[in-house]
């Protein structure tokens, strides 16, 4: 089976979690759709500001490649920004072709909260016609480990 993991990361915590989940997905061939803010802090903030204002011109080419047709499962991993994931999440869900009817998993990373943002992700994915088969929140104030992500990955793998 094939899975696409679409994640957004500014500080690396969501990427680390996505990769730990992927390592446990032994029944799947894993591909990534990473939206990674890179560079100096100020450059990351500028890009984040563009994305939050729905300017995705910097990743337009990548967004145009999004197609769920070749995958059995789509996994979305996002940080928590208030009660929502970043705007990039909505953009990815809106842009991914052939998504209706697919199986999906949503997870997010957070420092203090995260529950409402995860619910938001689930609702958006279901509104797009996909079925959320599993979900998880990874909440740690400081260092985010891999243990729980691997457990979650194994759980997905057995479904
Ligand atoms: C603009 C902004 C808003 C955030 N809002 C929240 C929040 O409401 N609740 C929370 O628990 N963490 C919040 N965080 C922390 C991130 O969600 C958390 O550190 C996440 O794991 C970062 O993922 P990343 O390292 O992949 O970018 C916020 C971070 C940023 C930059």
């Amino acid at each position: 089976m094939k899975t696409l993991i679409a994640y957004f990361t500014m500080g690396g915590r969501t990427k680390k979690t996505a990769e730990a989940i992927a390592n446990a997905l032994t029944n799947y061939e894993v591909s990534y759709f990473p939206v990674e803010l890179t560079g100096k802090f100020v450059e990351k903030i500028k890009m984040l500001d563009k994305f939050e204002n729905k300017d995705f011109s910097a990743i337009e080419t990548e967004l145009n490649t999004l197609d769920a047709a070749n995958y059995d499962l789509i996994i979305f991993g996002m940080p928590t920004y208030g009660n929502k994931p970043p705007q990039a999440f909505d953009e990815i869900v809106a842009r991914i072709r052939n998504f209706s009817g697919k199986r999906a998993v949503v997870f997010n990373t957070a420092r203090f909260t995260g529950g409402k943002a995860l619910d938001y992700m689930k609702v958006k994915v279901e509104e797009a016609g996909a079925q959320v088969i599993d979900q998880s929140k990874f909440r740690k104030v400081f260092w985010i480990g891999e243990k729980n992500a691997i457990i979650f990955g194994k759980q997905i793998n057995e479904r």
Side-chain angles (χ1 to χ4, degrees):
M1 291 187 287
K2 290 185 176 182
T3 184
L4 178 69
I5 307 184
Y7 68 84
F8 179 100
T9 194
M10 181 160 82
R13 288 161 51 102
T14 312
K15 178 180 185 174
K16 180 178 177 181
T17 305
E19 288 176 349
I21 291 169
N23 282 338
L25 297 177
T26 52
N27 291 332
Y28 288 87
E29 187 186 312
V30 178
S31 302
Y32 292 102
F33 184 85
V35 179
E36 190 167 2
L37 304 188
T38 53
K40 291 183 183 148
F41 183 69
V42 63
E43 289 163 349
K44 289 185 181 185
I45 294 294
K46 276 184 187 165
M47 190 54 74
L48 178 63
D49 192 53
K50 278 192 179 179
F51 285 168
E52 291 303 291
N53 286 298
K54 302 185 185 180
D55 173 359
F56 295 101
S57 51
I59 56 165
E60 191 56 33
T61 311
E62 290 83 352
L63 287 167
N64 279 332
T65 68
L66 274 170
D67 194 341
N70 295 326
Y71 298 100
D72 304 287
L73 177 71
I74 311 293
I75 301 176
F76 297 92
M78 295 285 143
T80 302
Y81 292 171
N83 290 331
K84 281 185 169 190
Q87 281 291 341
F89 168 75
D90 296 70
E91 190 68 12
I92 291 168
V93 172
R95 298 285 291 271
I96 188 165
R97 296 189 297 281
N98 300 302
F99 187 39
S100 186
K102 289 286 174 182
R103 293 155 79 236
V105 165
V106 292
F107 76 88
N108 67 352
T109 65
R111 289 191 191 274
F112 312 105
T113 56
K116 283 187 180 161
L118 190 62
D119 289 344
Y120 179 94
M121 290 171 69
K122 182 171 189 273
V123 167
K124 282 282 167 189
V125 165
E126 288 176 346
E127 279 175 3
Q131 180 202 1
V132 176
I133 61 158
D134 216 336
Q135 64 185 79
S136 187
K137 179 179 77 181
F138 299 93
R139 185 166 56 81
K140 277 277 187 288
V141 180
F142 297 115
W143 188 78
I144 199 156
E146 294 180 343
K147 192 169 151 255
N148 290 338
I150 291 167
I151 292 169
F152 184 57
K154 283 183 181 162
Q155 189 177 302
I156 298 166
N157 201 45
E158 296 309 318
R159 282 183 182 273

